[in-house]
Amino acid sequence: MARVGAVATPILEKAKTAKRESKTIEFKEMFDVESARDWVEIVKDIVALANSGGGAIIFGLKNNGNPSGYDATDLLTLDPAQITDKVAKYTGEQFSDFSTEEITRNGHKMAVFLVSPVAVPIIFNKEGSYETERREPKFAFRKGTVYFRHGAKSEPATTNDLRESVERELARIRVSWIGGIRKVVEAPKGSQIQIF
């Protein structure tokens, strides 16, 4: 199972209690691992959450936050490599910074995908489409698009989304650098520092 970084604990706790969808939380009533429609919609949401700073997809909740009755057993036993392969099919990226967790809400077992943030936004390099019940093609996303979360929706990126993504990565780098500087400043007297 893929492991998620520091984002896992707060997002998982939020997933256990969220009453509505948000920029970091997506509800899905169900997921059919054999459905092309379900896969492209999930890939879209995984990419949008990763691009937006991370989040969770909760399977087994209706849009109003009530349990749907979905049996998440198949999803909980799904090989994470299958999910990575589906994301790669549409993006060319081997994104595996997610985990699948089991939670219980109001006595109902549910599956949660915890998605970590990415440093550089993921772009779709292939369109994600499926056939509707009327046998008409429907597109979840198009080639060359970048998706972010806008409130409770996964939608094409805006200039502001890209700006926020760059600012988020710069803030992460600053924290990393400050941590390194702090180690040097707080090093015991007589320590030697090597720079590579």
Side-chain angles (χ1 to χ4, degrees):
M1 182 182 304
R3 283 282 104 203
V4 177
V7 74
T9 302
I11 291 296
L12 184 58
E13 291 308 310
K14 190 173 182 180
K16 290 177 181 178
T17 60
K19 299 201 182 330
R20 63 177 190 251
E21 295 176 305
S22 67
K23 184 175 182 174
T24 58
I25 300 289
E26 173 72 19
F27 295 163
K28 295 291 183 191
E29 283 190 42
M30 50 129 357
F31 181 76
D32 178 358
V33 295
E34 302 299 323
S35 167
R37 174 193 177 278
D38 286 3
W39 273 114
V40 294
E41 292 294 342
I42 290 304
V43 167
K44 177 178 74 176
D45 290 330
I46 289 171
V47 169
L49 284 166
N51 288 346
S52 298
I57 304 171
I58 308 166
F59 297 88
L61 288 178
K62 297 178 182 177
N63 283 342
N64 63 10
N66 291 326
S68 67
Y70 168 66
D71 180 1
T73 304
D74 286 347
L75 189 54
L76 290 166
T77 58
L78 187 67
D79 183 352
Q82 284 183 269
I83 301 165
T84 298
D85 289 346
K86 291 291 186 181
V87 173
K89 176 181 177 179
Y90 296 104
T91 66
E93 298 293 325
Q94 292 292 317
F95 179 73
S96 61
D97 271 347
F98 62 87
S99 68
T100 305
E101 305 292 339
E102 180 180 324
I103 63 170
T104 303
R105 286 181 54 152
N106 301 328
H108 298 273
K109 180 170 81 169
M110 297 177 188
V112 178
F113 284 175
L114 296 175
V115 181
S116 288
V118 291
V120 177
I122 298 171
I123 300 169
F124 290 108
N125 66 4
K126 181 179 178 184
E127 38 190 50
S129 64
Y130 55 91
E131 275 191 7
T132 65
E133 292 174 2
R134 295 172 160 184
R135 298 224 176 274
E136 297 171 347
K138 174 152 182 167
F139 294 90
F141 48 84
R142 298 280 187 163
K143 180 180 178 179
T145 56
V146 179
Y147 271 70
F148 280 81
R149 293 289 287 182
H150 297 145
K153 296 180 180 179
S154 297
E155 298 178 324
T158 65
T159 302
N160 194 49
D161 291 325
L162 297 175
R163 181 183 308 107
E164 287 177 5
S165 175
V166 170
E167 288 171 358
R168 194 170 38 251
E169 182 59 12
L170 288 174
R172 186 196 65 76
I173 291 169
R174 279 188 206 106
V175 168
S176 172
W177 285 357
I178 289 171
I181 292 169
R182 186 170 288 125
K183 286 179 186 175
V184 171
V185 170
E186 295 173 357
K189 190 173 189 149
S191 296
Q192 292 185 359
I193 298 169
Q194 296 180 3
I195 299 175
F196 297 95

